[in-house]
Amino acid sequence: MKKLAQRNYYGKALAKLAETREDVVVIDADLAGSTKTSEFRKVAPERFVEAGIAEQDMIGVAAGLAASGKTVFASTFAVFATGRCWEQIRLGCAYPKLNVKIVSTHCGISVGADGASHQALEDISIMRSLPNMTVISPADAYEAYAATLALADCKGPCYMRLGRADVPVLFDEDVGFEIGRARRMRSGSDVSLIGTGQMVSLCLDAADMLESEGISADVINMSTIKPLDGAAVMESVSKTGCAVTAEEHSVIGGLGSAVAELLSENMPAPVVRIGTRDTFGESGDPDQLFRKYGLTAEDIAAAARKSISMRE
Amino acid sequence: MPLSPAELKRKADLLRLHVIEMTTAAGSGHPGGSLSAADLMAVLYFRVMRHDPGNPAWEDRDRFVLSKGHVAPVLYAALAESGYFPTEELLTLRKLGSRLQGHPVRGKLPGVEMSTGSLGQGLSMSCGIALAGKMDGRDYNVYCLLGDGELQSGQNYEAMMFASAKGLDNLIAFVDRNRLQIEGDTEKVMPLDPLPDKWLAFGWDVFEVDGHNIEQIIGAIEEAKRSESPSVIIMNTVKGKGVSFMENQAGFHGRACKPEEYEQAVRELKEALE
């Protein structure tokens, strides 16, 4: 299966925006080579801002630039982009609804060997809780490219998380992106598998496994976590009656929480959440870590069986 | 015709009177640091800044960022006296539904450039606005008012580094050096001295003035505008300036006057205005 890194396509999209959008400014905190904002710098160095290892200042500067009419992309690793400067994002960007797009790379446990200090497993949760904030987690590299262009076209504060590693390609190169709209990846009637980020690919693998057991899975790519496409969730669950959520993130406050909140208030149904269970990660190969922390396609399939059994 | 120093002094006392009336009507707020900053606010809004209350979105306007957002009352008073909104609205401060929130909110009230109130962030925001001015070839200046206590926050030093690295000579910061914060003397809570040295070390031009001397404030701003570096004007001030029983009292950092205190404060300020 073809694999590509989301961050590389973020860089390509920024390079395109450098040519097409005079109002776009990119700011980074000493990680341009890793986040791939370096691709923008190559094309428009006069609109690239190096903030140094000073993420709180980076966000404040981004807010000031946005208040002056710029569309600002601010990037660094997910832990630092959200955790180090959460309150700067809250006051400077979210509260006044400024046009700052915080795009992080190196989200989740697939960061691997660097260990828990660098594995953001809480970023969706803490960003989702901010009023006015849009939260996006694309499923593959092409969707990351399209989502970057969509971010440039939307007004207001947004957060997008991207991975470091190469992940399976699920879409064609010309895939579009509509913020707030989920995509059905596969139709089924027995259980809804709702994934985000690279977990969508694993949901599809799980659906294959389940199919061999005669279980038909409805697979949804929830690439926008906020605003959640509630209609898509309810349409699927009204058919299946039970759901599994899958995210490379803590089960606390992320996609699983969002789906459970929606269903419990509107259409109570079993929801089994795949994600890290209130724990930090550790060093290791991504594959080893996915197995140890219960994030594999087998884990998703087992969760589907559990969700179905709770419905019955 | 720009206002004379004597007229600006009067404006400052008028702002002080508004601050007392507003915070007393609200029953809360931060009068102490509002009073210490009143002279600067008068100089900025009625003499130095290029702005048009009829066109708050004017792209070439000078920008003012209130990093010490808790002294919103003196900013609101300056905006109302400038004509951004009716002075009658000042008495809605901190009330439900008011545009005059406890701390300034961008987009809520014309003339408020950034949302502030959580300390230590305004200088970074100001850097962003100043940098945008450079990118766009605009000649506006950015003025940022900081509290002294807030300089205990590390983000300020990130911003200081940033401003000099990017050559933001269109940025002028002010420190309201009233030497008092909630827990008392800044030098006992967490010492800031030698304060000028800190800014100098980060590549800023540093000026020090009596923050209640209108001529000195104007003179320092004129010099700072000519500087080829970002500049800071450290204003030695008296917290609670202009109301005898509030002067140098940390207790008035975050509480309003009681009724009998209010009578006396208004009497003193009206005497100053006569």
Side-chain angles (χ1 to χ4, degrees), chain A residues 25 27 46-47 49-51 53-57 60-61 63-65 67-68 70 87-88 91-92 95-96 98, chain B residues 61 63 101 104-106 113-118 121 124-125 127-129 131-132 135-136 140 155 158-159 162 166:
Chain A
V25 173
I27 187 165
E46 72 287 357
R47 283 183 281 134
V49 184
E50 176 58 73
I53 308 168
E55 295 80 5
Q56 298 179 342
D57 184 55
V61 169
L65 286 163
S68 311
K70 305 297 180 191
E87 204 241 323
Q88 283 75 11
L91 179 78
Y95 188 26
L98 282 170
Chain B
R61 71 192 183 281
R63 270 75 162 175
Q101 292 287 294
V105 185
R106 175 186 164 83
E113 298 286 353
M114 298 303 289
S115 299
T116 51
S118 169
Q121 302 188 31
S124 297
M125 296 171 182
C127 285
I129 301 171
L131 183 61
M135 283 179 173
D136 293 343
Y140 61 73
Q155 188 183 339
E158 297 180 357
F162 185 94
K166 310 299 178 191

Side-chain angles (χ1 to χ4, degrees), chain B residues 40 44 143-146 172-176 217 221 232-233 235:
Chain B
L40 170 71
L44 286 177
Y143 299 99
C144 177
L145 174 58
L146 300 146
I172 299 176
F174 302 91
V175 179
D176 187 359
I217 299 172
I221 294 173
V232 61
I233 299 172
M235 307 185 306

Side-chain angles (χ1 to χ4, degrees), chain A residues 27-169:
Chain A
I27 187 165
D28 202 307
D30 194 38
L31 286 169
S34 295
T35 63
K36 304 302 174 188
T37 58
S38 52
E39 298 300 309
F40 182 91
R41 183 172 57 192
K42 281 182 199 161
V43 184
E46 72 287 357
R47 283 183 281 134
F48 177 85
V49 184
E50 176 58 73
I53 308 168
E55 295 80 5
Q56 298 179 342
D57 184 55
M58 174 176 81
I59 294 298
V61 169
L65 286 163
S68 311
K70 305 297 180 191
T71 299
V72 187
F73 284 80
S75 288
T76 180
F77 291 176
V79 170
F80 317 132
T82 60
R84 170 67 68 95
C85 47
W86 182 84
E87 204 241 323
Q88 283 75 11
I89 296 169
R90 178 181 187 272
L91 179 78
C93 307
Y95 188 26
K97 301 181 193 164
L98 282 170
N99 214 8
V100 177
K101 318 300 176 187
I102 298 147
V103 179
S104 72
T105 64
H106 296 61
C107 73
I109 209 162
S110 56
V111 163
D114 276 347
S117 64
H118 284 54
Q119 295 165 345
L121 297 170
E122 313 85 6
D123 54 318
I124 297 174
S125 175
I126 62 176
M127 297 306 279
R128 189 170 78 88
S129 64
L130 288 172
N132 302 330
M133 184 63 71
T134 294
V135 179
I136 293 172
S137 166
D140 77 351
Y142 292 141
E143 204 178 39
Y145 180 91
T148 304
L149 301 183
L151 284 180
D153 285 337
C154 96
K155 285 278 173 214
C158 301
Y159 172 62
M160 179 162 76
R161 74 182 323 229
L162 303 174
R164 181 191 79 89
D166 291 347
V167 294
V169 171

Side-chain angles (χ1 to χ4, degrees), chain A residues 211-274:
Chain A
E211 187 176 31
S212 67
E213 301 166 24
I215 297 170
S216 151
D218 204 43
V219 179
I220 291 173
N221 168 18
M222 195 59 74
S223 44
T224 306
I225 296 164
K226 185 185 172 189
L228 188 74
D229 189 345
V233 173
M234 293 206 280
E235 195 260 334
S236 175
V237 175
S238 66
K239 187 170 60 177
T240 62
C242 63
V244 171
T245 60
E247 61 202 302
E248 195 190 345
H249 182 273
S250 170
V251 292
I252 298 172
L255 172 69
S257 295
V259 169
E261 288 156 12
L262 173 88
L263 290 175
S264 63
E265 285 185 341
N266 296 283
M267 186 191 281
V271 177
V272 181
R273 297 165 301 156
I274 290 291

Side-chain angles (χ1 to χ4, degrees), chain B residues 11 14-15 17-19 21-22 46 73 76-93 99-100 109:
Chain B
K11 276 282 186 199
L14 183 60
L15 300 184
L17 184 59
H18 282 310
V19 166
E21 288 173 343
M22 295 163 75
F46 303 105
Y76 296 155
L79 291 173
E81 280 295 329
S82 298
Y84 284 89
F85 57 88
T87 50
E88 295 75 50
E89 198 173 341
L90 290 174
L91 293 179
T92 68
L93 175 73
R99 299 193 290 175
L100 282 65
L109 189 67

Side-chain angles (χ1 to χ4, degrees), chain B residues 90-264:
Chain B
L90 290 174
L91 293 179
T92 68
L93 175 73
R94 290 177 165 252
K95 300 264 199 301
L96 185 66
S98 173
R99 299 193 290 175
L100 282 65
Q101 292 287 294
H103 295 81
V105 185
R106 175 186 164 83
K108 199 129 190 141
L109 189 67
V112 173
E113 298 286 353
M114 298 303 289
S115 299
T116 51
S118 169
L119 296 173
Q121 302 188 31
L123 194 59
S124 297
M125 296 171 182
S126 302
C127 285
I129 301 171
L131 183 61
K134 293 279 180 197
M135 283 179 173
D136 293 343
R138 297 189 184 279
D139 69 347
Y140 61 73
N141 286 303
V142 184
Y143 299 99
C144 177
L145 174 58
L146 300 146
D148 52 356
E150 115 175 86
L151 292 176
Q152 289 156 356
S153 239
Q155 188 183 339
N156 287 301
Y157 301 89
E158 297 180 357
M160 285 181 209
M161 231 184 297
F162 185 94
S164 57
K166 310 299 178 191
L168 302 180
D169 58 3
N170 52 349
L171 173 58
I172 299 176
F174 302 91
V175 179
D176 187 359
R177 186 73 172 114
N178 59 38
R179 309 190 84 90
L180 287 174
Q181 59 190 113
I182 292 177
E183 286 291 317
D185 181 349
T186 56
E187 301 314 288
K188 291 199 176 116
V189 176
M190 184 55 69
L192 292 163
D193 281 333
L195 189 55
D197 295 14
K198 291 184 169 63
W199 292 88
L200 285 168
F202 286 101
W204 287 56
D205 263 358
V206 181
F207 304 87
E208 203 164 354
V209 300
D210 171 350
H212 303 305
N213 182 312
I214 302 284
E215 287 95 336
Q216 281 189 26
I217 299 172
I218 294 172
I221 294 173
E222 289 310 317
E223 275 194 72
K225 279 186 179 175
R226 286 193 294 272
S227 165
E228 289 173 5
S229 311
S231 301
V232 61
I233 299 172
I234 298 172
M235 307 185 306
N236 293 307
T237 57
V238 172
K239 197 156 191 160
K241 175 72 178 179
V243 177
S244 59
F245 61 90
M246 296 174 85
E247 291 192 355
N248 287 314
Q249 298 301 311
F252 277 104
H253 169 87
R255 84 160 175 91
C257 288
K258 294 171 186 152
E260 64 279 13
E261 292 169 336
Y262 171 74
E263 299 296 331
Q264 187 184 338

